[in-house]
Amino acid sequence: MHFLVFDYLVKTNRPYSANDISSQLHNQVTAAAAKKILNDLADDGKISRKNNNKQQIFYPVQAEIEVPNVEEAEEEEESIKAMEERLATLKDENKALSSRLNALNNALTDDQMRERIAKLTLETEQNDQRLKQLRAGEVISPQEKKKIDSEHAAMLKHWATRKRIFKTISDTIAEGYPKKIKDLFDEIGIETDED
C-alpha cells in the first residue's frame, strides 16, 4: 500500500490530504490507512508534509523532481503542438467516417431495395393501367359509379335533414326578431342556398 500511495503522489505531483488520496484511489486505501502511510512516508523523508490549521497536506519532495531545460521544454511544446494538430485531423476524419457510417446505416439494404423496387413497379403498372382506361374513355367502372351514386344519395339525405332543422330554427328566431331574417344572417355571416 505504501508504494501505491507514494507512486500516485509522485505521478500527480500535487498536494493532497489523506482523505483526498483515499478518494482519488477509489477507496483502495481507507482515509485512516492513507493518513498513516502518508505520515510514515513523510517521516522517512520520501514526501513532504505541511500542517494547514487542523489538516495535514502531503506532496512529493520537489528537489527530486527533474526540471527540464529550455531545449527539452521547447521540444515538448513542439511535440504537443504536433500531437494537437494530429488530434484535430483525427477528429475531423472520425467525424467524416461517423457521418458516412450513419448514412450507410440509414440506407436500405439490398433486400429492402428489391422489395421497394417491386412495390414501386407494381404501383407504376397499376397507374399505367388506370391511365390507359382514362384515355380510352373508361372514366369509372360501373361498381365505382354505383358506390358514388349511393354515397351522393346519402349525403343529399343528410343535407335535406339539416336544411329542414335549420329552417325550423331560423323560422323560430324570425318570429321574435325585429328585422328581416336575411339581415340577421348577413350580420352573423350565415350563407344560405338562396344566396
Side-chain angles (χ1 to χ4, degrees), residues 31-110:
K35 186 172 185 176
K36 182 177 180 337
I37 292 168
L38 289 168
N39 280 320
D40 289 347
L41 290 170
D43 292 342
D44 293 344
K46 292 183 179 178
I47 62 171
S48 298
R49 169 180 43 211
K50 184 172 184 179
N51 291 325
N52 186 9
N53 292 336
K54 294 181 181 180
Q55 189 175 26
Q56 291 182 326
I57 304 295
F58 302 90
Y59 53 93
V61 176
Q62 300 297 306
E64 295 178 7
I65 297 175
E66 294 181 28
V67 178
N69 62 31
V70 176
E71 292 170 356
E72 289 175 347
E74 288 174 354
E75 287 176 12
E76 284 294 319
E77 283 293 324
E78 288 176 18
S79 174
I80 290 171
K81 284 180 184 176
M83 287 182 187
E84 286 174 347
E85 289 171 4
R86 177 77 176 131
L87 177 64
T89 303
L90 290 174
K91 281 183 178 179
D92 290 342
E93 288 176 13
N94 185 32
K95 186 176 180 181
L97 290 172
S98 294
S99 176
R100 173 116 171 89
L101 178 63
N102 192 23
L104 289 173
N105 284 338
N106 290 334
L108 297 175
T109 64
D110 290 348

Side-chain angles (χ1 to χ4, degrees), residues 4-189:
L4 179 67
V5 172
F6 179 72
D7 187 52
Y8 181 78
L9 201 59
V10 171
K11 280 183 181 175
T12 56
N13 191 27
R14 56 176 291 217
Y16 284 106
S17 68
N19 289 337
D20 292 338
I21 289 287
S22 176
S23 66
Q24 291 297 323
L25 292 175
H26 305 289
N27 294 322
Q28 291 178 346
V29 180
T30 64
K35 186 172 185 176
K36 182 177 180 337
I37 292 168
L38 289 168
N39 280 320
D40 289 347
L41 290 170
D43 292 342
D44 293 344
K46 292 183 179 178
I47 62 171
S48 298
R49 169 180 43 211
K50 184 172 184 179
N51 291 325
N52 186 9
N53 292 336
K54 294 181 181 180
Q55 189 175 26
Q56 291 182 326
I57 304 295
F58 302 90
Y59 53 93
V61 176
Q62 300 297 306
E64 295 178 7
I65 297 175
E66 294 181 28
V67 178
N69 62 31
V70 176
E71 292 170 356
E72 289 175 347
E74 288 174 354
E75 287 176 12
E76 284 294 319
E77 283 293 324
E78 288 176 18
S79 174
I80 290 171
K81 284 180 184 176
M83 287 182 187
E84 286 174 347
E85 289 171 4
R86 177 77 176 131
L87 177 64
T89 303
L90 290 174
K91 281 183 178 179
D92 290 342
E93 288 176 13
N94 185 32
K95 186 176 180 181
L97 290 172
S98 294
S99 176
R100 173 116 171 89
L101 178 63
N102 192 23
L104 289 173
N105 284 338
N106 290 334
L108 297 175
T109 64
D110 290 348
D111 292 337
Q112 290 171 330
M113 282 188 201
R114 286 186 196 96
E115 188 177 305
R116 181 92 170 121
I117 289 169
K119 183 180 177 186
L120 291 174
T121 303
L122 180 64
E123 285 179 16
T124 303
E125 289 171 1
Q126 290 171 346
N127 288 337
D128 284 344
Q129 184 67 28
R130 179 84 173 130
L131 184 59
K132 285 178 186 175
Q133 288 175 346
L134 292 173
R135 285 186 179 152
E138 301 173 19
V139 179
I140 57 172
S141 68
Q143 294 88 358
E144 286 179 295
K145 185 175 183 327
K146 187 176 179 182
K147 181 181 173 189
I148 291 170
D149 286 343
S150 69
E151 287 177 0
H152 180 260
M155 291 301 136
L156 199 55
K157 185 177 176 184
H158 287 299
W159 171 80
T161 304
R162 289 185 178 158
K163 183 176 181 181
R164 191 173 44 254
I165 292 170
F166 179 76
K167 179 78 172 127
T168 305
I169 292 172
S170 65
D171 288 346
T172 305
I173 292 172
E175 289 175 9
Y177 194 68
K179 299 179 186 174
K180 291 183 180 180
I181 194 71
K182 186 169 177 30
D183 293 338
L184 175 64
F185 289 167
D186 288 341
E187 196 175 305
I188 59 177

